[in-house]
Structures are given as C-alpha cells and as structure tokens.
Amino acid sequence: MTESPVVGIIMGSDSDLPTLQDAIAICEQFNVPHEVAIVSAHRTPDRLVHYGKTACDRGLKVIIAGAGGAAHLPGMIASLTPLPVIGVPVKTSTLSGVDSLYSIVQMPRGIPVATVAIGNATNAGLLAVQILAAFDPKLQQQVQEYRNQLKQSVLDKQAQLTDLGYQKYLDRM
C-alpha cells in the first residue's frame, strides 16, 4: 500500500514543473510521500479552493506552491489552509522572477508564506522535509546525514584546492 501524501507540491501551470521538479526530487530522496498537481489560481479557482480546504483532511502537512508572474497561488492556498505553505517564485522571461518573488513575499499580516529564492525548489523541498522532521526523529536523522554530506563535500573540495593550487583547480572546473 502506498503511503498517503504528506507534502503537496502544486504549481500554477505545467510550465512551472521544470522548476518544481527539484522539490519533488528532494521528497523522493528523503522518501517523503507527496503529491504533485497543477492548480491554477486564475484558471481553476474552484479547484484551488477545494485543494486548499481539503488539504488537512487528506493528510497533507506542508504545501509547496510554485508560480511565476503574478504568483498568486502560494498566497491564495495559504489563505485557505492552516498548513505551512512554502512559496517558490518561478523565473519569468519578463522580470526574471522578481515579480513573482515580490508577490509571494508581500503577504498580508496573518497569512504567512515561507518564501525561498527565485527558482530554488530544492530549498523548498528541504524546508518541507525539515518541518516534517521536527516531529519525526528518523527523518531528522536523515536531514542531519544530508547536512553531513554537504559538509564533507566542502571539505573534499578544500583538500583538492590545497593539493592542486587555485589555478589547476580552476582549470578542472
């Protein structure tokens, strides 16, 4: 039997999927059950309302919402659910995602949306995992192991830099 999803990963359009795939990959890496859906704030408002109002009852614990342009999806979903919402501003061709970032980060008092950098769905996935890990010691250990791997990667790079010198190190990049 497949576990019920605890993270909802939603996007305003399928064009946002290439950005949000990094959040999906993080959930998969940490074996966190998740669902992926296209929920347009503007084109499918009834679907948006239904998704937000039923999220808790369906067992979701965190929602990652990515959108570009006006980027209303994260804020609107946050207005419909008491669950934590993580907004991912999607890079746009017109303003490079700055418009999306401003839209997501400028939420009115009382309806917060955690916001990551433009296009940084990896951090959105990690933040969702860390929220869940606060209540799951096994998942918390996985997060710590992940961070230890990051640390070791930096130490390995420093050792290579020391051994090769900066010019040879740059030549290898």
Side-chain angles (χ1 to χ4, degrees):
M1 183 170 98
T2 304
E3 287 186 70
S4 295
V6 293
V7 174
I9 302 171
I10 61 174
M11 63 207 78
S13 168
D14 64 346
S15 64
D16 301 329
L17 185 57
T19 298
L20 290 172
Q21 72 180 342
D22 293 336
I24 297 165
I26 291 293
C27 287
E28 290 173 350
Q29 181 178 342
F30 284 91
N31 296 311
V32 170
H34 59 282
E35 64 184 25
V36 180
I38 301 168
V39 183
S40 173
H42 303 110
R43 294 182 209 105
T44 60
D46 293 337
R47 178 172 165 75
L48 169 76
V49 170
H50 182 263
Y51 189 95
K53 288 191 173 194
T54 64
C56 285
D57 292 339
R58 293 184 298 106
L60 294 182
K61 304 292 182 212
V62 182
I63 297 173
I64 297 170
H72 292 143
L73 180 62
M76 288 304 300
I77 205 74
S79 75
L80 295 165
T81 182
L83 297 175
V85 174
I86 303 164
V88 180
V90 173
K91 186 175 182 178
T92 57
S93 59
T94 307
L95 296 173
S96 298
V98 174
D99 50 342
S100 309
L101 173 64
Y102 286 161
S103 178
I104 296 170
V105 82
Q106 290 294 337
M107 287 300 297
R109 188 173 314 212
I111 309 294
V113 173
T115 309
V116 297
I118 298 166
N120 197 341
T122 297
N123 272 0
L126 288 168
L127 184 55
V129 168
Q130 286 179 238
I131 290 168
L132 297 170
F135 307 97
D136 181 341
K138 182 180 173 189
L139 192 54
Q140 196 171 77
Q141 181 60 36
Q142 286 180 274
V143 170
Q144 191 56 55
E145 289 169 10
Y146 175 85
R147 288 184 169 201
N148 288 341
Q149 290 170 359
L150 293 177
K151 174 184 171 183
Q152 190 58 52
S153 174
V154 171
L155 295 175
D156 291 346
K157 289 176 184 180
Q158 177 58 55
Q160 289 177 5
L161 178 59
T162 300
D163 289 345
L164 297 172
Y166 86 91
Q167 193 61 55
K168 285 184 182 176
Y169 188 91
L170 283 173
D171 291 343
R172 294 179 60 212
M173 293 180 84

